């Protein structure tokens, strides 16, 4: 290969590097998106009924009926170990769940991931709320709550009456979440 080819390849590589840097500089993190829901006339939301009809394995591989959470305010967090915003929000979500201890609301996590990845992650971070293995079926569950793109993290706030109160796509804003939880409990 002659020096002209090497110089041309180097120029093309440099051009791609500059373009990549410009894209990275101008790229903004997607803003979290929340959606409030109108009540459905006292009946539980269809997606909530589907959620409570599920039995998912916990991190020990034991099937757990999600109906155990029925009748209680519930925050359902769909997440994965490979999702950076999920990993960033989980310690604060765990602290929030630990502060309340299930007195006013409960938190569960449904992982769109392998059981071994989830167990290793949960042990490392000492997550204070129950985690269930949803696999790809977890993505379908989240779609029922309006997560049409299947984005993560995706969090759903469900009232004790089975009504979806709000959904959150993207990393949680905890001041907003705390205000929503306070409204939920009057």
């Amino acid at each position: 290969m002659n020096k002209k080819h090497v110089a041309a390849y180097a120029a093309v590589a440099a051009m791609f590097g500059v373009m990549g840097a410009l894209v990275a500089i101008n790229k903004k993190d997607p803003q979290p998106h929340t959606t409030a829901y109108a009540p459905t006339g006292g009946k539980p939301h269809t997606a909530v009924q589907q959620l409570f009809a599920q039995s998912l394995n916990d991190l020990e591989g034991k099937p757990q009926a999600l109906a155990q959470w029925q009748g209680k305010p519930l925050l359902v967090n769909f997440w994965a170990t490979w999702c950076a915003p999920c990993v960033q929000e989980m310690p604060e979500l765990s602290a929030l769940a630990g502060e309340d201890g299930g007195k006013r609301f409960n938190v569960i996590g449904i992982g769109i991931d392998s059981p071994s990845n989830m167990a290793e992650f949960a042990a490392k971070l000492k997550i204070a709320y129950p985690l269930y293995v949803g696999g790809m079926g977890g993505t379908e569950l989240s779609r029922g709550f309006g997560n049409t793109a299947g984005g993560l993290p995706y969090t759903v706030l469900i009232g004790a009456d089975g009504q979806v109160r709000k959904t959150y796509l993207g990393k949680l804003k905890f001041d907003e979440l705390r205000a929503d939880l306070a409204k939920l409990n009057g």
Side-chain angles (χ1 to χ4, degrees):
M1 196 181 298
N2 65 29
K3 288 182 182 181
K4 284 184 184 177
H5 286 122
V6 171
Y9 289 133
V12 169
M15 182 180 71
F16 277 109
V18 168
M19 287 172 48
L22 288 173
V23 168
I25 289 169
N26 291 319
K27 184 180 177 197
K28 293 183 174 81
D29 283 337
Q31 289 300 306
H33 177 72
T34 60
T35 304
Y37 280 81
T40 56
K43 292 188 312 195
H45 191 275
T46 307
V48 174
Q49 292 172 329
Q50 291 172 345
L51 176 77
F52 290 145
Q54 299 290 314
S55 181
L56 299 176
N57 287 347
D58 61 19
L59 296 185
E60 283 83 47
K62 295 183 185 108
Q64 299 289 329
L66 297 187
Q68 68 183 298
W69 302 107
Q70 227 166 338
K72 304 169 186 172
L74 183 64
L75 196 62
V76 182
N77 179 252
F78 294 92
W79 68 285
T81 60
W82 43 262
C83 162
C86 300
V87 171
Q88 292 166 359
E89 77 181 7
M90 283 184 84
E92 194 168 352
L93 188 56
S94 183
L96 180 66
E99 281 171 25
D100 187 74
K103 290 187 288 291
R104 296 177 302 124
F105 64 92
N106 291 286
V107 178
I108 65 171
I110 298 179
I112 317 298
D113 212 325
S114 73
S116 59
N117 285 350
M118 289 175 59
E120 184 180 320
F121 177 84
K124 199 180 326 180
L125 266 76
K126 296 180 179 43
I127 302 303
Y129 54 89
L131 297 176
Y132 302 105
V133 181
M136 292 316 290
T139 302
E140 288 309 308
L141 273 175
S142 78
R143 283 192 170 108
F145 288 106
N147 187 11
T148 54
L152 293 176
Y154 192 74
T155 307
V156 182
L157 179 58
I158 301 169
D161 58 0
Q163 300 292 318
V164 174
R165 302 306 170 105
K166 200 165 189 181
T167 62
Y168 312 80
L169 175 61
K171 187 176 172 194
L172 288 167
K173 292 182 177 175
F174 282 89
D175 51 346
E176 177 186 358
L177 176 60
R178 287 175 191 275
D180 293 338
L181 288 166
K183 284 185 237 167
L184 186 67
N185 294 297

